Amino acid sequence: MTPRTDLATIGRFFLRAAPRSLLLGIVLTAVTVATGIALLGVSGWFITATAIAGLSVASAIGFEVFMPSATIRLLALGRTVSRYAERVVTHDATLGVLAQLRERLFVGWAQPEAARELAARPSRWLFRLTADLDALESVYLRLAAPCAAAVGAAVLAGLLLAGLDAWLGVAAFVVLCAVGLGGSVVVMRRGWPHAVRRAKAVERVRSRTIDLVAGQTEWVMAGQLDAQTSRLRESDRQLARADLALNRLDVMAAWAQGVAGAIFVAAVLLAAAELAATGIATVPMVALAVLVAQSSIEPFSALRRGALEAGRTWLAARRIAPRLNAEGDCVRARPTPAKGVACRLVDASVRYSQEHAAALDGVTVSITAGERVSVIGPSGAGKSTLLSLLAGDVTPSQGDAAGLPTTWFTQRTELFQDTLRDNLRLADPTAEDTRLWNALNDAGLAHDIAECGQGLDTLLGEGGLGLSGGQSRRLALARLLLHDSPVWLLDEPTEALDASTARDVLDVLARRAGSRTVVIATHLRREAALADRLLMMRAGAVEHDVRRGTPEFDAALSALRPD
């Protein structure tokens, strides 16, 4: 995608998300600029006209004071109100659009393949949801709205100056657009690479700082602390160079704009003075023309600041736009298998990348509702991928997959910095405390939690800090028991647990499974013994499918690693 296409994609999303609010914000921005120009121009005209009228008693008596002063007050009040309304409307609209964009991205990342990519690089995608999305506010607040305001200012200045002379109005409009918009384009093109480098440098500084702080023990043990510190220092120097380049460009652009503005005001003054000398314009009108010309330059300063950040905005758009253009941003429902079947795969293959061999290759499996199945095989055989496919976490690159709703008890226990209650309610947000305690009791964790003093209000640290490995596993088990689904997928549920805890976990699973379908990926005999059917995998394919009561089943079970 090109920069223009990326920004157009983001722009279309903005327009679809809140078209009326965005348009109202632009209108209010233009009104604010227009009232500011009119206020300064009328004030200059009024002051000059009052001074001239005061030169004689007759002109002073006949001079109309009330209407101009009322107009000035009305413009001042209108500018204050429109400025406040413009800030409220534009920022509310922008924040609302960005909130919808975050929701859209979350939905997109709920897709199987996107979820895997998110899990593989969480810090990078977190950066997308924070810094990149924040950068997209410039699309409207610092580019679209200021551009509309600047053009509106040029139009208004041209119309007011055309009251003196039509050619003066046309020339003023052309010069303002050429110098103001043209200068902003030049600033954008010159600052683009520096803004992109700065955005990337900020990301590197952030990433390397986190790596240095979080992994300082490992860096010291590996003897790489100084090297990592040097890399961070170099990233900081790159950021400083990009900042310096942007600051220099901003100073030069501001100087050039100031010089161009001064020349423009001087030219309008000379033209208006010539009109006054020929009797076409009065001296107060000359003052109005000069002040209008001066105030019409100001809106282009805001546009210049947006132009400086255009590179950063485009970089964010380039990263975000593909997710908006991707098909299937809405979560797709998996096909439901035939009645009496819990899961079914037909010639299903999974390939994570074209450079690697297929993780699953042409697997055809049908699991009956209520059946208990163990998937066994050496590491890398495809057991976890098979469970991912049954869970709907991945979609087959070829073939078909269908299944009932599942609960997946993975090898990794995901706990969050929150209370025990809220960690449990991830499985069932409506669960009452009584049901939570029952689940904890079934998981063998109720006694430990009761001794904490705060019970379900006990706060856990990041990643479940405060619980031992066995307690974390039991808490995950309680969460499994709370989530009501017809299929349980268990990926090595007792791996790395001591024998006593492992037996307790397996007893709970066997007792609470009831009529559910249970699929266990394992290489442990104690886990596979729960099943009535074994699927033996090797190199991404199911080599054997054996059932309890056959010699092959007993032989396969005996070959597994003992407890």
Side-chain angles (χ1 to χ4, degrees):
M1 298 178 70
T2 63
R4 183 179 300 175
T5 304
D6 293 330
L7 290 174
T9 299
I10 300 298
R12 286 194 298 270
F13 183 87
F14 269 67
L15 290 176
R16 288 195 301 267
R20 294 182 180 179
S21 297
L22 295 176
L23 179 59
L24 178 60
I26 288 177
V27 171
L28 288 172
T29 303
V31 168
T32 301
V33 171
T35 52
I37 293 175
L39 175 62
L40 189 60
V42 173
S43 299
W45 173 89
F46 182 58
I47 292 172
T48 305
T50 303
I52 294 175
L55 295 177
S56 66
V57 175
S59 60
I61 294 174
F63 185 73
E64 173 63 45
V65 176
F66 298 104
M67 184 60 70
S69 61
T71 301
I72 291 172
R73 291 176 182 176
L74 179 62
L75 289 173
L77 181 62
R79 184 177 185 276
T80 302
V81 172
S82 63
R83 169 68 72 181
Y84 178 79
E86 171 245 322
R87 291 299 175 91
V88 172
V89 171
T90 55
H91 285 77
D92 180 70
T94 302
L95 293 175
V97 171
L98 293 182
Q100 293 186 44
L101 183 55
R102 284 187 175 91
E103 181 180 355
R104 174 74 174 273
L105 293 176
F106 271 123
V107 172
W109 282 326
Q111 296 301 306
E113 288 77 9
R116 180 173 291 274
E117 184 179 0
L118 176 63
R121 295 179 175 179
S123 60
R124 173 174 294 185
W125 292 111
L126 177 62
F127 196 83
R128 301 292 184 271
L129 284 173
T130 53
D132 282 354
L133 279 178
D134 289 342
L136 291 182
E137 69 179 18
S138 296
V139 172
Y140 178 68
L141 290 179
R142 298 185 181 180
L143 288 175
C147 183
V151 172
V155 171
L156 179 61
L159 291 175
L160 291 176
L161 294 177
L164 295 178
D165 182 79
W167 287 110
L168 177 60
V170 172
F173 173 76
V174 172
V175 170
L176 284 172
C177 288
V179 175
L181 296 180
S184 298
V185 171
V186 171
V187 171
M188 182 183 298
R189 294 178 65 89
R190 294 284 300 274
W192 192 289
H194 301 302
V196 171
R197 281 194 290 269
R198 184 188 185 281
K200 292 182 177 179
V202 169
E203 188 171 354
R204 283 194 297 270
V205 168
R206 176 179 177 176
S207 175
R208 289 176 177 175
T209 300
I210 293 173
D211 289 343
L212 180 62
V213 174
Q216 54 185 315
T217 302
E218 290 78 4
W219 292 118
V220 170
M221 294 179 65
Q224 294 294 314
L225 182 62
D226 291 340
Q228 180 66 10
T229 304
S230 298
R231 284 191 287 268
L232 175 58
R233 189 179 297 112
E234 176 58 28
S235 298
D236 188 62
R237 283 195 290 265
Q238 293 174 358
L239 175 59
R241 286 195 292 268
D243 277 332
L244 181 60
L246 286 173
N247 289 336
R248 284 176 175 171
L249 180 60
D250 189 25
V251 170
M252 292 176 61
W255 176 84
Q257 191 176 57
V259 171
I263 295 174
F264 174 68
V265 172
V268 171
L269 174 61
L270 292 175
E274 180 64 25
L275 292 174
T278 58
I280 297 177
T282 63
V283 173
M285 293 300 294
V286 172
L288 183 147
V290 172
L291 292 175
V292 165
Q294 184 176 2
S295 59
S296 63
I297 300 171
E298 182 183 353
F300 291 95
S301 299
L303 184 59
R304 185 190 76 241
R305 290 190 290 270
L308 277 173
E309 297 185 6
R312 173 180 174 234
T313 304
W314 165 77
L315 181 63
R318 189 185 70 176
R319 293 165 167 174
I320 299 296
R323 294 303 313 165
L324 299 181
N325 287 327
E327 295 182 1
D329 280 337
C330 295
V331 178
R332 301 182 296 268
R334 284 197 305 160
T336 302
K339 186 177 181 179
V341 177
C343 306
R344 188 202 58 199
L345 305 178
V346 179
D347 195 27
S349 298
V350 174
R351 184 185 297 274
Y352 293 120
S353 66
Q354 297 299 323
E355 292 79 13
H356 297 87
L360 286 183
D361 190 10
V363 173
T364 298
V365 170
S366 180
I367 300 175
T368 305
E371 196 171 16
R372 299 186 179 185
V373 179
S374 282
V375 183
I376 62 175
S379 298
K383 303 187 297 298
S384 295
T385 301
L386 179 63
L387 261 62
S388 298
L389 192 55
L390 296 177
D393 190 53
V394 298
T395 54
S397 51
Q398 71 175 44
D400 298 316
L404 298 175
T406 64
T407 302
W408 193 5
F409 191 60
T410 63
Q411 298 180 38
R412 182 176 177 179
T413 302
E414 298 288 357
L415 298 176
F416 300 92
Q417 187 171 346
D418 209 332
T419 63
L420 277 166
R421 178 185 290 103
D422 289 335
N423 271 281
L424 286 170
R425 281 183 173 170
L426 289 172
D428 184 0
T430 63
E432 297 180 353
D433 286 0
T434 301
R435 188 156 175 253
L436 299 181
W437 279 112
N438 290 336
L440 289 172
N441 186 64
D442 289 339
L445 192 58
H447 179 71
D448 294 342
I449 300 304
E451 288 185 342
C452 291
Q454 294 180 316
L456 295 174
D457 293 321
T458 300
L459 285 172
L460 301 183
E462 184 177 355
L465 186 65
L467 297 179
S468 66
Q471 289 172 330
S472 298
R473 202 66 173 157
R474 288 177 184 270
L475 184 59
L477 175 59
R479 203 156 56 188
L480 170 73
L481 300 176
L482 284 168
H483 190 67
D484 188 18
S485 63
V487 180
W488 281 359
L489 304 177
L490 313 176
D491 194 355
E492 301 186 8
T494 64
E495 180 67 21
L497 296 182
D498 60 86
S500 176
T501 303
R503 283 195 301 271
D504 291 343
V505 169
L506 292 176
D507 288 343
V508 172
L509 291 173
R511 185 174 66 255
R512 290 293 303 273
S515 61
R516 290 183 177 88
T517 303
V518 180
V519 182
I520 307 174
T522 183
H523 54 266
L524 295 177
R525 189 182 305 164
R526 67 190 179 200
E527 296 175 350
L530 295 177
D532 299 316
R533 178 183 173 191
L534 297 179
L535 298 179
M536 292 178 283
M537 298 191 66
R538 186 176 297 275
V542 177
E543 286 190 333
H544 301 286
D545 183 350
V546 298
R547 297 181 180 275
R548 184 179 294 276
T550 63
E552 292 83 358
F553 183 95
D554 296 335
L557 194 63
S558 300
L560 294 176
R561 198 177 82 192
D563 300 352

